[in-house]
Every structure is written in structure tokens, then in C-alpha cells.
Amino acid sequence: MRQHLWRWCLISFIAALMIGSMIPVTGYAQQGSVPVTGPTGPAVFGLNTHLATRYPDATTMDTPAALVSELGVTWAREDFHWHRVQPQPDVWDWTFTDAAMRALLSRNINVLGVLGPSVGWATPYPGDPSNDVSYYAPDPDAFAAYAQRVVTRYRRYVNHWEIWNEPDHPIFWRPAPDAAAYTRLLLKTATAIRAADPSATILIGGINPYDTTFLREVAAQGGWDSFDVLAIHPYVDPYGPEDGNLAAALTDVRAVASQHGQKPIWVTEVGWASGPGDRDTVGRTNEQMQADYLVRANLMLWEAGVAKIFWYSFKDDTNNPYGLIRYGSGRADYRSRKPAFEALRTLNQQIAGATYVSRRDLFQLNVVDNFETFATWQRVSEPNGTLRPSSRARSGRSGAELSYNFATTGNNYVAFERQPALPLLGEPYAVGVWVYGDGSPHNLKVLIRDAEGEVLQFVLGPAGAPGWHFLRVPILGTVEPGNVIVPGANRRVDFPASLVTIVFDDIVDSFVGSGTIWLDDLTVITGYEVYDLRLQRGNEALDILWSPPGAWVNLATRSSSGRVIDRSGNMRTVEAQGGQMRIDVGSAPVYLWHQR
């Protein structure tokens, strides 16, 4: 059962793909809407700018900084690379960091500084040049001394520091990620930063939220109290923010925090390349899709409770077009803007001064099993747990108690088969279940048998923190080969289909132990995939609407007309008829200012 479909690996409030376009949708009816955390404060949509490390001319740093300001960005994530500021133990060079800080700070742009990676002379690895970048683990004392020197120089202006970048990634911590070694570095560096600036805010170094093994190990090593903010990098490309379950990135991170202490969550990198790149060699995302994803991703993460979000990146790198600016003739060329540039500028302009009100969905949730009849669920193959009635239920008379005991360091799971299989009503685009978690990282999965006899596996997500929450997973996409349990023709669900098995699988094989989670109301999800974030500014209402498959939406309004603004900032007027405005909503979000 160790088959993981990474892009579906956590919960989300999203729907899956629908076929067709321009589907008429009427009203605001919410049937079975799913509660979400909601924003923790005003929207902050920042940018990874890389001025100090990638822009080649310190004397003209105002050129790119002016464009950052034009975007309406109030926060920039900047690298303070060790090899640039201290190329040798007795040499310090502040030319580029000083120039970048002057250019950004003079425009009232706050800076999040990233400390690291290593410099060759500070590591035991002999293969890297002594005065150039190295991703091998450095001497912790030397790194802490460098960090303290940087913070001391800029403490009057920069008060937020991220210690390393992606220490859980094998490219950025060599020869292999080592949570114990990183925790030692984290502890020493945090102490050094606070000695230089007691008011500083410290961030952990941008971890992958879809596998929290590294984060849990940092906590186990005593590193949890050394940082103030959880920084995560929830990349889901080449999939879109909806079918990639982007908004679910916080689920397992919050489960870890529930055990060790809550902290604000920042997304210090998220993005999509507008063509072939490191994470998508085919290039399934074009420039227009990148612009759409930028807006949708920022809004989804903000609405899910992320305090600050930093798009990656400002300018394309060679063969890695994640930027808002095309690579052009080189690193100094900022003349060629992509649609994503206008999308971020428009987003910041329209959100400025607006406050969050609510989210509206048109999803319909229909319960297909409330777990009140237990003769139909039988354990199969692995004797690692039980599923039995429980008085703990989110609603109704009873729910289900799933107890597990994973006794080895191998792959452990427990599976329960529905007899007979549970028909999925209609042609749902997602399935879900209410879960009361135990803080474990173990994944809840479902197996679905389709009309062709193919059995496919879908990952609902980790059990999560204690408390009832709804896990869901889209089921209309093509699954990866590893999630085909019984082969068939096309690796897609062909209807009619039925749910045959629930599986609880240890995501971390090294885990040995037992626990209990609770389930209630196994649900199928149908309806229209239309998203509507509702905000308010003064006397005006703002609806931000999008629909990945495309739809028409009729919105109730007290206005005689409304201003519709597209992702590029172009405006048109829509007249109301009968107290409603009919809006053409496609994959690109539109902003509708009107009176409700």
C-alpha cells in the first residue's frame, strides 16, 4: 500500500476538474459548505526578488526595485548569501546587499532576509571552491558568526530572518538532509541573531509541508522554540492550485504545531514556471496559466490562514521560467513583462484596503455512509487495527473509531473493505470524510472501483490535529501508475463507480506505535466548481470569482451596475437586471465591485 499520489496528498476545500465550459450557475446557495480557517490578517502578497544575488549591477539597483514597488509589493524575500558577503574568513563585501537594501527599503518595502547557504571554506567538503557557494553542511559556529554579523549590520532596517533555504531538500543540504545537524545550526544561529537583535523574528528554513518528517524531527531534537514562524514551500506544479490541493498545505503542519505550540505560517516560496523547468520538464503551464495560478494560489493560501505569501520568482532564470519578467538578454534585462506581472499588480491594487468577509461555494455534499451500520465494514489482510462504532460523532448518533497499531519499521497499514461496495451517487468530482485526528502524519486513503473494474487509490490526507475537520480528494483526474491497485484501461474513474476500501497507512515507515482517529459522514461532492471570495472596502462589496472549467454566475446585488476588472487591470461595466449581475467567470479570476 506504499503508493503515494503526491499532488493529492492533503486536504483542500477545492473541487476537481469539470468537463465543458460556460456552465450556467445561479445564486449563492451553499449546500454543505466546508468550514475553513479564514485569513489571519490583511492580505500580504510578496515576492522573492533576488536583487542582492542575481542582479549584476549594484549601481543601478533602483531599476528592478522600481518594478517591485510598481507591483504594490510590501514584502520582499532577499538572499544574504554567505559566499557573497564573506568570500574568505577575513574578507567582508557588502556591495550588493547594501545596494539592494537601499533600493528596497527606500520604497517602504519590508525585507525578509534568508541566511545561507554555505561558503566553500566553511565546510569539510573539499570539492567546492573555497570562495563560492556550497550546499554542504557548514561549521555551525562559523555560520552563526556570519549570521550575527549580517543581522548586526542591518538590524535597524531588517527584523525578519529565515535560517537556510529548504534544509529538508537533498539539493540544498548535502550530502543528505539531516534534521539533527540542521537543528544544531538553527539553535546556534537563532541565539546569535537574538544577541544582535532581541526583537528579531526568526523563520525556519522553508520546508516541504507535504512531508513533515523533517519538521517533526527538528521538534524532537529540541528546535521548536528556536524559531517564531513556520515557513513552508508548498509547490504543487505542474498541477494547478485546485487539483493540486494547494490550500491543504497547512493541514499536517498544523498537526505538528498542535503538539509543540502554534506559530504563524508563512509561505516563503510558491510558484509555477511558464514553460519547461525544474519541476515540469514538459512545460504544461503557459504564461497565461501562470498568471491565473498566481492570483488563485495567493487567494487560496491567504484564505486558508497563511499570514504572508511570497511568489517565486521576480525574474526568470535560465531554463527555469518562474518569474514575472522574462529572462530576455540576461540578468540585467527587466524590459519584458509576462502576464503574471500584471496579475500580481492588479491583485495587490484590488485587495488594498479590503477586508475579508467570507467564502462562498456551490459545492453539494451528500452523505453516503454515516458509519451507523458496521456489519458492512470488514478488516482485510493486515491485522493492524480495528474499525468499530463510537459515540464520538460530528453529527448523528454515532461515528467510527479507527484504532491502529503499527508495530514495525516497515510499511504498516490497516484496511477496511465495504461489503457490498458503496455506490458513489451520480458522478461526483470528489469524495470526503469528517476526521477527528490524533496529530499523526499517517494518511487516510480510499480505493474506488470503476465501471471497467479498475481499482484506483486516492489519498485524502493525514489524520491531522485533534478536532473535527473535513478531508477531501478530487477523483476525476488521471492517477499516477503507483496508485493503480487493479489495472484497467485508462487510470481514470469511469462511472458508475463505488468505494470499496478505506485505508490508514503509515506515511513514515520509521514510526512504531499506536493511536486512534475517528470518522464520520463519508461524503460525495458534486456541484459547480466556482470560487467566490467576498471582501468589503468602505461601502462597496468585492467578489473575486474564478472557475477553472469556466462558468456563468448570477450574483445578487443592490447596485444598478458593477465594475468588473480582469487579471490585467482592464475594467468593464456590467448592468444588473432583476437585482442580479450575470458574470462570465473563467479560469482567470475577475474582481467585481458592487453593492450587495
Side-chain angles (χ1 to χ4, degrees):
M1 300 300 296
R2 174 61 74 202
Q3 313 288 347
H4 296 297
L5 178 53
W6 71 268
R7 70 181 175 109
W8 313 50
C9 60
L10 293 174
I11 73 163
S12 172
F13 58 78
I14 59 99
L17 298 175
M18 288 171 26
I19 299 173
S21 62
M22 311 322 298
I23 305 165
V25 180
T26 302
Y28 271 134
Q30 287 194 93
Q31 301 192 34
S33 64
V34 178
V36 293
T37 301
T40 59
V44 177
F45 303 134
L47 183 65
N48 281 265
T49 44
H50 303 300
L51 302 191
T53 53
R54 297 185 186 178
Y55 188 72
D57 183 3
T59 65
T60 61
M61 200 68 77
D62 284 326
T63 298
L67 294 178
V68 179
S69 181
E70 184 180 338
L71 285 163
V73 167
T74 58
W75 278 83
R77 183 174 182 252
E78 271 290 325
D79 297 314
F80 289 73
H81 280 176
W82 193 359
H83 75 283
R84 297 289 296 269
V85 300
Q86 194 185 9
Q88 297 294 343
D90 57 350
V91 175
W92 293 87
D93 184 352
W94 307 102
T95 303
F96 280 88
T97 50
D98 279 357
M101 291 307 100
R102 278 195 296 268
L104 292 169
L105 296 168
S106 66
R107 291 170 169 82
N108 297 316
I109 297 170
N110 298 288
V111 172
L112 165 61
V114 184
L115 297 166
S118 190
V119 59
W121 61 260
T123 79
Y125 178 67
D128 291 330
S130 64
N131 65 342
D132 208 343
V133 65
S134 176
Y135 294 106
Y136 282 83
D139 174 86
D141 291 322
F143 187 89
Y146 135 77
Q148 187 169 25
R149 187 77 173 261
V150 171
V151 173
T152 299
R153 185 175 185 86
Y154 297 108
R155 63 189 172 192
R156 291 179 57 192
Y157 315 103
V158 181
N159 304 109
H160 294 76
W161 301 97
E162 191 171 345
I163 299 177
W164 207 268
N165 175 69
E166 299 183 5
D168 57 343
H169 196 298
I171 288 179
F172 299 114
W173 189 283
R174 301 178 185 175
D178 184 335
Y182 175 71
T183 303
R184 289 192 293 272
L185 182 83
L186 181 66
L187 290 166
K188 283 183 176 289
T189 307
T191 299
I193 290 172
R194 291 191 172 108
D197 180 7
S199 66
T201 297
I202 297 174
L203 286 73
I204 195 171
I207 58 111
N208 169 19
Y210 298 108
D211 181 354
T212 56
T213 304
F214 188 90
L215 180 63
R216 292 172 187 272
E217 291 176 357
V218 169
Q221 294 288 329
W224 191 262
D225 292 333
S226 63
F227 62 93
D228 307 299
V229 175
L230 275 163
I232 62 174
H233 292 180
Y235 286 102
V236 298
D237 55 325
Y239 305 102
E242 293 83 20
D243 64 342
N245 279 348
L246 175 65
L250 282 65
T251 304
D252 205 13
V253 173
R254 283 179 170 148
V256 180
S258 72
Q259 297 175 328
H260 301 284
Q262 296 295 338
K263 297 178 186 289
I265 299 174
W266 293 17
V267 168
T268 55
E269 285 187 21
V270 67
W272 280 260
S274 60
D278 286 349
R279 297 175 57 87
D280 176 16
T281 57
V282 176
R284 301 183 215 183
T285 303
N286 60 34
E287 289 189 353
Q288 293 296 332
M289 294 167 66
Q290 180 194 43
D292 296 346
Y293 290 170
L294 180 152
V295 180
R296 286 149 54 184
N298 273 293
L299 292 170
M300 290 171 71
L301 289 167
W302 175 55
E303 202 265 346
V306 176
K308 292 179 176 59
I309 303 146
F310 295 78
W311 177 262
Y312 187 90
S313 151
F314 186 23
K315 179 175 166 58
D316 285 353
D317 225 351
T318 54
N319 304 315
N320 222 20
Y322 278 84
L324 311 178
I325 305 286
R326 298 181 184 92
Y327 188 76
S329 62
R331 290 189 181 273
D333 184 357
Y334 279 76
R335 294 171 297 177
S336 184
R337 305 176 181 186
K338 293 156 71 173
F341 184 98
E342 305 302 333
L344 181 57
R345 178 171 66 177
T346 301
L347 175 64
N348 280 325
Q349 286 175 343
Q350 297 307 315
I351 291 290
T355 57
Y356 177 82
V357 177
S358 65
R359 193 190 84 226
R360 294 282 185 127
D361 299 330
L362 296 173
F363 310 154
Q364 298 176 14
L365 283 73
N366 300 306
V367 176
V368 292
D369 194 328
N370 58 15
F371 295 104
E372 293 185 3
T373 304
F374 264 80
T376 56
W377 292 98
Q378 296 185 11
R379 189 179 64 200
V380 295
S381 65
E382 295 289 330
N384 293 328
T386 60
L387 185 69
R388 57 193 177 192
S390 171
S391 59
R392 173 172 280 176
R394 190 191 68 89
S395 61
R397 294 170 295 174
S398 66
E401 178 184 286
L402 192 160
S403 296
Y404 61 92
N405 181 22
F406 297 153
T408 75
T409 56
N411 177 31
N412 293 279
Y413 66 92
V414 60
F416 303 94
E417 188 175 89
R418 181 64 150 71
Q419 297 179 348
L422 185 65
L424 299 181
L425 305 176
E427 296 188 6
Y429 55 71
V431 298
V433 65
W434 285 93
V435 180
Y436 192 104
D438 63 352
S440 75
H442 312 314
N443 270 340
L444 193 67
K445 309 175 181 182
V446 293
L447 306 185
I448 293 175
R449 180 187 294 119
D450 73 357
E452 298 179 344
E454 206 168 16
V455 178
L456 307 175
Q457 176 176 264
F458 299 93
V459 181
L460 286 156
W468 287 107
H469 48 278
F470 192 69
L471 302 187
R472 69 169 72 186
V473 61
I475 63 171
L476 295 190
T478 301
V479 307
E480 279 83 352
N483 284 284
V484 178
I485 307 304
V486 175
N490 58 9
R491 307 200 330 255
R492 299 176 65 93
V493 174
D494 297 293
F495 293 98
S498 56
L499 189 149
V500 293
T501 308
I502 288 177
V503 180
F504 197 54
D505 187 11
D506 66 341
I507 189 69
V508 181
D509 285 342
S510 60
F511 173 87
V512 175
S514 60
T516 301
I517 66 171
W518 290 265
L519 310 176
D520 202 1
D521 289 352
L522 189 59
T523 302
V524 295
I525 305 169
T526 58
Y528 298 106
E529 190 182 3
V530 178
Y531 302 85
D532 177 12
L533 291 191
R534 309 176 73 206
L535 295 89
Q536 190 81 23
R537 187 163 69 197
N539 295 324
E540 287 190 305
L542 170 62
D543 287 272
I544 307 178
L545 299 131
W546 72 93
S547 174
W552 288 96
V553 178
N554 293 334
L555 296 181
T557 180
R558 295 196 303 270
S559 302
S560 59
S561 63
R563 290 175 289 130
V564 174
I565 300 151
D566 67 20
R567 66 158 176 256
S568 299
N570 301 313
M571 187 179 71
R572 61 187 173 90
T573 300
V574 175
E575 302 298 330
Q577 294 183 355
Q580 290 188 330
M581 292 182 183
R582 193 162 193 255
I583 309 297
D584 177 358
V585 179
S587 60
V590 297
Y591 308 82
L592 171 64
W593 284 101
H594 65 111
Q595 288 185 331
R596 289 197 187 96

